[in-house]
Amino acid sequence: MRPMVAAAAPVSCEYCPVGQHAVYAPALAATPDAITTRRHVQTVLAARRTIFSEGEIPKRVYTLFSGWAYRYRTLSDGGRQILSFFVPGDFLTLQSMKPGPLPYTVKALTEVALCGFERETFFAFLLRSDELRESLCRDVLAQYDEAERTLVDIGRRPALARVARFLLSMEERLRARGLVQDGGFELPIPQGLIADALGLTTVHVNRTLASIRDSGAIEFGRNRMRIRDFDELRDLAECR
Amino acid sequence: MRPMVAAAAPVSCEYCPVGQHAVYAPALAATPDAITTRRHVQTVLAARRTIFSEGEIPKRVYTLFSGWAYRYRTLSDGGRQILSFFVPGDFLTLQSMKPGPLPYTVKALTEVALCGFERETFFAFLLRSDELRESLCRDVLAQYDEAERTLVDIGRRPALARVARFLLSMEERLRARGLVQDGGFELPIPQGLIADALGLTTVHVNRTLASIRDSGAIEFGRNRMRIRDFDELRDLAECR
DNA sequence: CGAAGACTTGACGGCGGTCAACATTGGTGG
DNA sequence: CCACCAATGTTGACCGCCGTCAAGTCTTCG
């Protein structure tokens, strides 16, 4: 399978293919130039490159144009907890809304293309209109909600249910962005990272995925996942 | 030990003893009447009473004036995950900033006194000034941050470290509110609830607390906790 | 005084972690 | 084009943390 290719974003943001999912989508619809002129940089980064480091104070902020990224916190013992994965259209550092050091690291999973803005003017712009504020607010609360949902998962559910729900929520998110085709989707997340996101180990994620595959609910190969039986998978996610 | 007594808030918010910790603290300092006149209700509720139910659409929102409360999500199997505890001055439902059903239940832990506001006008007021918006934003991000910190704890740390960090962060929060006296503080949270907050069981929290006490780092009795050796406790929280 | 909630302690077992070996894939440079 | 290497996936053996079950005590309150 060919690796995902990241192309830099087009010159104008007006017809941006992922703009409708961006936090500033309302502005793109109304006054696309307002975004284009504020966009400072377009960058392409190789897979595994660090985009922000924990403790860094961001002067520039990014929307993910193509590719996948993720963010995580590091433990004193070297372990890490992945907090979320990003897909095209996602804004990488909502927490930078207020100035100060970032409490997590952001890293490119695949090769990525980024659209960069100057932090201060970017948020000043978002706060100027009611509509944009509301969009920003919705994004923050949605991420907050997802964090607490994951908290419930990790705190109270067995590994099988966690993995099943992870797959379901990933499918739902990708479907909303039109990234589900032929009933399946690209999932360039190695099992070790799924483990770091779900509070498990690589070995156990591997066994769990294998058992779900054996149940017939999913099939997958390198970088690709297909849900064959949603009802079955939802049953597993309910944790019995 | 006498149960905590909840008295209704005073008539005017101007000299509210916990107002400085409220999300609308800047407004209290500048134009206290703006808060007093918007406050619709003052309510006293018995311990264990439900303040909001999961799925409910709040028309009225509350600041906790006295007593303790907590919020949690329920699982299909009857288990639950506590998301946070509230102390006087805390606002109970930041998520209600955007209209829609609440994704969690809020319950009184002790007897509580609440100051109620009409949801819509309350947030409209908070969004009107830059200073209040910033205060709101800071609160949301702080809670979000705490949620992800807990996520790391539960996902990656052993029981001993979770409990130790829980005690440390509780002490820090209460100290900031002037609720630490004689080196100790009131902690009316039963071990079963600590377990529900940390993804553990009552039995295991009990053993863990006992082992921390044996190490000499803390001492506690019913409803009261004292940290005797911060360095020791921090070592435990680091999870060697 | 009775009942409900909270705390404590012991015995036992299982989910998921640890360690280790090996297979497979894809990228890189010679 | 091939050799090599790093990253990833897979499987088995073993074990420990923490959950489950259960009994009993203590405290609080009606």
Side-chain angles (χ1 to χ4, degrees):
Chain A
M1 184 170 305
R2 306 243 61 215
M4 200 161 301
V5 173
V11 176
S12 162
C13 298
E14 184 163 7
Y15 301 109
C16 175
V18 299
Q20 59 187 306
H21 306 115
V23 60
Y24 43 71
L28 272 184
T31 55
D33 279 357
I35 303 300
T36 307
T37 60
R38 283 184 173 80
R39 187 186 54 186
H40 262 210
V41 200
Q42 301 173 66
T43 315
V44 174
L45 279 184
R48 280 159 223 258
R49 292 292 285 279
T50 296
I51 303 170
F52 292 103
S53 291
E54 203 164 332
E56 182 176 340
I57 298 179
K59 284 193 311 208
R60 199 171 274 164
V61 294
Y62 300 97
T63 292
L64 183 59
F65 175 74
S66 68
W68 288 63
Y70 61 101
R71 69 191 170 96
Y72 62 91
R73 298 198 194 206
T74 308
L75 298 179
S76 45
D77 69 1
R80 65 181 184 175
Q81 174 69 44
I82 292 179
L83 303 167
S84 63
F85 292 97
F86 297 110
V87 295
D90 286 339
F91 182 78
L92 298 186
T93 54
L94 272 186
Q95 279 74 3
S96 66
M97 189 179 355
K98 83 165 197 282
L102 273 186
Y104 50 76
T105 299
V106 183
K107 200 175 275 236
L109 175 52
T110 65
E111 187 181 32
V112 296
L114 304 171
C115 297
F117 303 84
E118 203 208 323
R119 191 196 75 82
E120 198 146 347
T121 59
F122 181 78
F123 283 109
F125 174 71
L126 285 188
L127 292 176
R128 204 172 304 158
S129 96
D130 284 351
E131 212 178 7
L132 287 175
R133 265 207 306 269
E134 193 177 315
S135 173
L136 178 61
C137 168
R138 184 176 35 234
D139 266 31
V140 171
L141 290 185
Q143 284 200 22
Y144 187 7
D145 184 70
E146 180 58 27
E148 296 199 329
R149 204 175 296 253
T150 306
L151 191 59
V152 176
D153 253 29
I154 295 185
R156 289 290 159 201
R157 289 188 155 116
L160 180 58
R162 288 184 223 176
V163 174
R165 198 183 78 78
F166 175 81
L167 295 175
L168 285 169
S169 84
M170 206 48 100
E171 201 270 352
E172 191 181 348
R173 236 174 111 194
L174 295 176
R175 174 182 299 276
R177 311 245 166 157
L179 296 175
V180 175
Q181 281 143 6
D182 312 326
F185 51 92
E186 297 294 314
L187 191 71
I189 309 177
Q191 295 178 2
L193 292 198
I194 297 179
D196 283 344
L198 299 182
L200 299 168
T201 57
T202 304
V203 173
H204 204 67
V205 166
N206 183 280
R207 289 192 230 274
T208 306
L209 279 173
S211 97
I212 299 179
R213 172 164 50 190
D214 291 347
S215 81
I218 62 172
E219 62 189 32
F220 59 92
R222 221 180 174 65
N223 289 355
R224 185 144 191 97
M225 175 65 58
R226 199 166 88 81
I227 299 179
R228 295 182 55 196
D229 186 339
F230 277 86
D231 288 339
E232 171 71 14
L233 193 53
R234 272 191 281 264
D235 271 358
L236 297 177
E238 277 304 316
C239 102
R240 65 219 44 245
Chain B
M1 185 171 304
R2 304 246 64 215
M4 201 161 303
V5 173
V11 175
S12 162
C13 298
E14 184 163 7
Y15 302 109
C16 176
V18 299
Q20 58 187 307
H21 305 115
V23 60
Y24 43 72
L28 271 185
T31 55
D33 279 358
I35 303 301
T36 307
T37 60
R38 282 182 175 80
R39 188 186 55 188
H40 264 208
V41 200
Q42 301 173 65
T43 316
V44 173
L45 280 183
R48 281 158 221 260
R49 291 291 287 279
T50 295
I51 303 169
F52 293 103
S53 292
E54 203 163 333
E56 182 176 341
I57 298 180
K59 285 192 311 206
R60 200 171 276 164
V61 294
Y62 299 98
T63 292
L64 183 59
F65 176 74
S66 69
W68 288 62
Y70 62 101
R71 68 192 171 96
Y72 62 91
R73 298 198 193 205
T74 308
L75 298 178
S76 46
D77 69 1
R80 65 182 183 173
Q81 175 68 43
I82 292 179
L83 303 167
S84 63
F85 293 96
F86 296 110
V87 296
D90 286 340
F91 181 78
L92 298 186
T93 54
L94 272 185
Q95 280 73 3
S96 66
M97 189 176 358
K98 83 165 198 283
L102 273 187
Y104 49 76
T105 299
V106 183
K107 200 175 274 238
L109 175 52
T110 64
E111 187 181 30
V112 296
L114 304 170
C115 297
F117 304 83
E118 203 207 323
R119 192 196 74 81
E120 197 147 347
T121 58
F122 181 78
F123 284 108
F125 174 71
L126 285 189
L127 292 175
R128 202 171 305 159
S129 96
D130 285 351
E131 212 179 5
L132 287 175
R133 266 207 306 268
E134 194 177 314
S135 173
L136 178 61
C137 169
R138 182 175 38 233
D139 266 30
V140 171
L141 290 185
Q143 284 200 22
Y144 187 5
D145 184 71
E146 181 56 29
E148 296 199 329
R149 204 175 295 253
T150 306
L151 191 59
V152 176
D153 254 28
I154 295 184
R156 289 291 159 200
R157 290 187 155 116
L160 180 58
R162 288 184 223 176
V163 174
R165 199 185 75 80
F166 175 81
L167 295 175
L168 284 169
S169 84
M170 205 47 100
E171 201 271 350
E172 190 181 348
R173 236 174 110 194
L174 295 176
R175 175 182 298 277
R177 311 242 166 160
L179 296 175
V180 175
Q181 281 143 6
D182 311 327
F185 50 93
E186 297 295 314
L187 191 71
I189 309 178
Q191 296 178 3
L193 293 197
I194 297 179
D196 283 344
L198 299 182
L200 299 168
T201 57
T202 303
V203 174
H204 204 68
V205 166
N206 183 278
R207 288 194 231 272
T208 306
L209 279 174
S211 95
I212 298 180
R213 172 164 51 190
D214 291 347
S215 80
I218 62 172
E219 61 189 33
F220 59 92
R222 223 181 171 65
N223 287 356
R224 185 145 189 99
M225 175 66 58
R226 199 167 88 81
I227 299 180
R228 296 183 54 197
D229 186 341
F230 278 87
D231 288 338
E232 171 71 13
L233 193 54
R234 271 190 283 263
D235 273 357
L236 297 177
E238 276 306 314
C239 94
R240 64 309 270 298

